[in-house]
Amino acid sequence: MECISVFDMLKIGVGPSSSHTLGPWRAAERWIAELEQEGLFEEVAEIKVYVYGSLSLTGKGHATDLAIILGLSGADPVEIPIADIDGIIALVKKDKVLNFANKRAIAFDPGTNIIFKREFLPFHANGMKFEATLSTGKKTTKTYYSIGGGFVVVKERKNAKKNKNVFATFPFPIEKGVQLLAYCKKEQKSISEIVLANELSLRSGDAINLQLQRIWETMLQCMYVGCHTEGNLPGGLNVRRRAFDMHKNLIGDIPYVNHEEWLGTIRNTEVKFRQILKWVSCFALAVNEVNASLGRVVTAPTNGSAGVIPAVLMYYLVIENHKADFEHIKKFLLVAGEIGSIFKKGATISAAMGGCQAEIGVSSAMAAGALTELLGGTPEQVLIAAEIAMEHHLGLTCDPIGGLVQIPCIERNSMGAIKAINAAELALETNPENIKIPLDKVVNTMWETAKDMNSKYKETSEGGLAVEVNMSDC
């Protein structure tokens, strides 16, 4: 079984899609690294990239072509200033020249050198082939698959053995929920403590804290930016940003100057039930509006579902516990990451494979379980919350209008966040002895549902809302 860290499930990157943007970006970087290892990088005379299946069908709306250009240009999705992205893309399109790995110029016309092919490769719906023609005239190719959440693999999975060896070194190797609960019971530890022990076998405590802090800061900054940016989203649907107006109505006239003061300001606002619903929705919408505009988000576990976890964590910080500190944030992220990894190991987190249940459903389950631990739930109740959240997302399709991660994707994050909070409250009132559906059963059911789902509803924009609602209607 593969080793999946919390930092595999929660990754900093650029929107709008982890599978269609971050994955191809990372694949391009990986291809360059492999060319350099083989001593072929300087010999490359021409590049062509073929994208297949779901990547082809919704790639333009998901900025797949732009991500490939950025990856081939040597830009890092974690570090690149967002303001630089448009300039890099515009220059390549204008001059028809790529600064390959930021090291050497090579002729490259995005309109002809990136080829969208509708057919599906057999291994995974999100396939892409990188082809280099060398100065000798010889061609070399490599095929990668973006399997969701920014994960990129090759069919041969040459690193699988190494990954399994790392997994075996975990003090608490976990494949299923039942194993996680057994460790908690035996060690008399919470889920976050078990997960932390595994993470400590990979990196130091200081490194863990630093990266978790960075992840939370990125989430908070993303919510802040989304709540303070007005106008329409790019892409042609002319979707108006709603987080700005919603936030303006909720925050009132209380002054603040940065995102840290902003958090304290929200704590002083009215917190009746309707306001709480609006705040949670506002946080989720803000993140995914930033995501839809090629902004920086945390993949959690995907970009399309990036708003659920920060919205629920923010709910805890500004509504439930005004004295919460980094330790609470740390526990939340550790638990969320582990629940996400259980779904990835037992099913999928790719909408191209499983529909939106694999993205919003998984993120809602992650958030529900994490919130339950912070609210004092037992390990059993944590997994009950995750199960409840996923149970009520089963069968959710992925049918983005125009191939854009906007409608219905953005609203679904607010719905996923609200469901997560509701699931946590239901779990806290549940005696684990009375449960009928354990988490592992719903993971299996989600995967079976994914396999049975028609491909039209798996991020192809060939069914559902994507065909019932035309671009002209918007």
Side-chain angles (χ1 to χ4, degrees):
M1 180 51 59
E2 61 184 324
C3 162
I4 300 179
S5 164
V6 168
F7 302 113
D8 293 321
M9 301 306 301
L10 305 173
K11 296 188 286 286
I12 298 171
V14 174
S17 170
S18 52
S19 60
H20 287 51
T21 316
L22 184 59
W25 193 326
R26 289 301 191 194
E29 291 180 307
R30 181 168 166 178
W31 184 57
I32 290 171
E34 291 176 4
L35 287 173
E36 291 178 328
Q37 289 170 5
E38 296 166 8
L40 298 175
F41 177 77
E42 294 295 335
E43 301 300 316
V44 175
E46 183 184 12
I47 297 168
K48 285 190 177 180
V49 184
Y50 301 85
V51 293
Y52 297 86
S54 177
L55 282 182
S56 173
L57 292 167
T58 61
K60 289 291 181 72
H62 287 58
T64 300
D65 50 344
L66 308 187
I68 289 170
I69 293 169
L70 291 164
L72 292 175
S73 300
D76 184 343
V78 177
E79 302 293 344
I80 183 174
I82 298 301
D84 292 353
I85 291 177
D86 288 345
I88 294 172
I89 299 297
L91 197 61
V92 173
K93 288 183 175 180
K94 173 178 171 289
D95 296 341
K96 307 293 190 294
V97 174
L98 179 76
N99 189 4
F100 193 29
N102 200 30
K103 294 179 180 178
R104 52 185 289 254
I106 187 169
F108 188 87
D109 182 351
T112 58
N113 290 76
I114 300 177
I115 300 99
F116 290 84
K117 301 179 76 66
R118 295 175 66 89
E119 62 261 36
F120 285 70
L121 298 181
F123 183 71
H124 192 279
N126 293 333
M128 69 203 99
K129 181 173 73 174
F130 290 80
E131 177 186 276
T133 301
L134 306 180
S135 55
T136 60
K138 181 181 177 182
K139 294 183 188 297
T140 178
T141 66
K142 193 64 177 284
T143 301
Y144 302 95
Y145 300 89
S146 179
I147 62 173
F151 289 87
V152 175
V153 301
V154 295
K155 188 175 181 179
E156 296 81 10
R157 301 298 300 271
K158 292 179 180 179
N159 292 325
K161 183 176 180 181
K162 178 181 177 182
N163 197 292
K164 289 178 181 178
N165 290 338
V166 173
F167 179 74
T169 66
F170 275 10
F172 306 110
I174 299 162
E175 182 179 357
K176 298 180 180 294
V178 66
Q179 294 170 316
L180 176 55
L181 291 182
Y183 290 134
C184 290
K185 184 176 181 179
K186 180 181 178 182
E187 301 295 326
Q188 291 296 295
K189 293 181 181 293
S190 66
I191 288 178
S192 61
E193 289 172 323
I194 293 293
V195 180
L196 180 59
N198 283 341
E199 291 296 328
L200 286 168
S201 70
L202 299 175
R203 53 185 63 84
S204 70
D206 287 344
I208 291 168
N209 288 343
L210 183 65
Q211 185 61 8
L212 288 175
Q213 184 67 56
R214 189 178 183 191
I215 285 170
W216 167 240
E217 283 294 325
T218 303
M219 288 180 171
L220 181 58
Q221 183 67 23
C222 185
M223 286 184 280
Y224 186 80
V225 170
C227 285
H228 294 82
T229 306
E230 61 179 326
N232 291 349
L233 294 172
L237 289 178
N238 295 317
V239 175
R240 178 167 175 80
R241 293 175 179 262
R242 282 184 286 177
F244 179 87
D245 294 326
M246 189 178 289
H247 172 263
K248 187 176 180 181
N249 290 332
L250 288 166
I251 200 73
D253 298 322
I254 309 173
Y256 55 90
V257 296
N258 55 44
H259 62 275
E260 287 152 353
E261 285 189 15
W262 177 61
L263 194 148
T265 300
I266 296 171
R267 288 171 171 163
N268 292 323
T269 61
E270 190 175 35
V271 288
K272 292 179 181 178
F273 181 68
R274 288 185 65 201
Q275 279 70 35
I276 294 172
L277 283 177
K278 289 178 182 179
W279 270 120
V280 174
S281 295
C282 181
F283 299 143
L285 293 175
V287 171
N288 285 83
E289 287 171 357
V290 170
N291 178 64
S293 54
L294 275 78
R296 177 156 287 121
V297 300
V298 175
T299 299
T302 68
N303 283 28
S305 61
V308 176
I309 287 171
V312 175
L313 178 50
M314 191 70 160
Y315 159 80
Y316 178 78
L317 297 175
V318 300
I319 303 296
E320 289 293 336
N321 185 2
H322 290 189
K323 295 182 180 179
D325 56 21
F326 174 69
E327 284 303 309
H328 295 87
I329 295 169
K330 178 178 177 179
K331 289 178 181 178
F332 186 99
L333 297 177
L334 289 170
V335 174
E338 186 59 46
I339 292 171
S341 76
I342 289 173
F343 276 97
K344 185 178 185 304
K345 291 169 186 173
T348 181
I349 58 170
S350 166
M353 291 295 287
C356 202
Q357 60 173 357
E359 297 201 18
I360 294 295
V362 173
S363 63
S364 186
M366 292 166 69
L371 179 62
T372 300
E373 176 161 311
L374 290 191
L375 293 175
T378 65
E380 291 82 4
Q381 289 173 322
V382 168
L383 297 198
I384 290 170
E387 184 282 321
I388 292 171
M390 173 52 77
E391 182 183 332
H392 300 289
H393 281 94
L394 287 173
L396 187 61
T397 59
C398 181
D399 46 0
I401 296 173
L404 297 165
V405 192
Q406 297 182 18
I407 303 173
C409 320
I410 295 174
E411 278 186 358
R412 282 185 179 167
N413 279 264
S414 66
M415 300 301 292
I418 295 299
K419 282 187 180 181
I421 296 169
N422 194 8
E425 294 298 340
L426 287 172
L428 290 168
E429 297 299 324
T430 299
N431 183 337
E433 294 180 359
N434 297 328
I435 68 160
K436 305 299 182 183
I437 308 173
L439 177 63
D440 294 330
K441 291 291 185 182
V442 85
V443 172
N444 293 340
T445 301
M446 192 269 267
W447 181 229
E448 291 303 316
T449 304
K451 289 188 289 184
D452 290 339
M453 189 180 289
N454 192 297
S455 63
K456 292 191 301 183
Y457 304 110
K458 295 181 180 180
E459 208 167 3
T460 61
S461 285
E462 294 183 321
L465 289 173
V467 296
E468 291 296 328
V469 182
N470 298 316
M471 293 280 280
S472 58
D473 295 325
C474 301

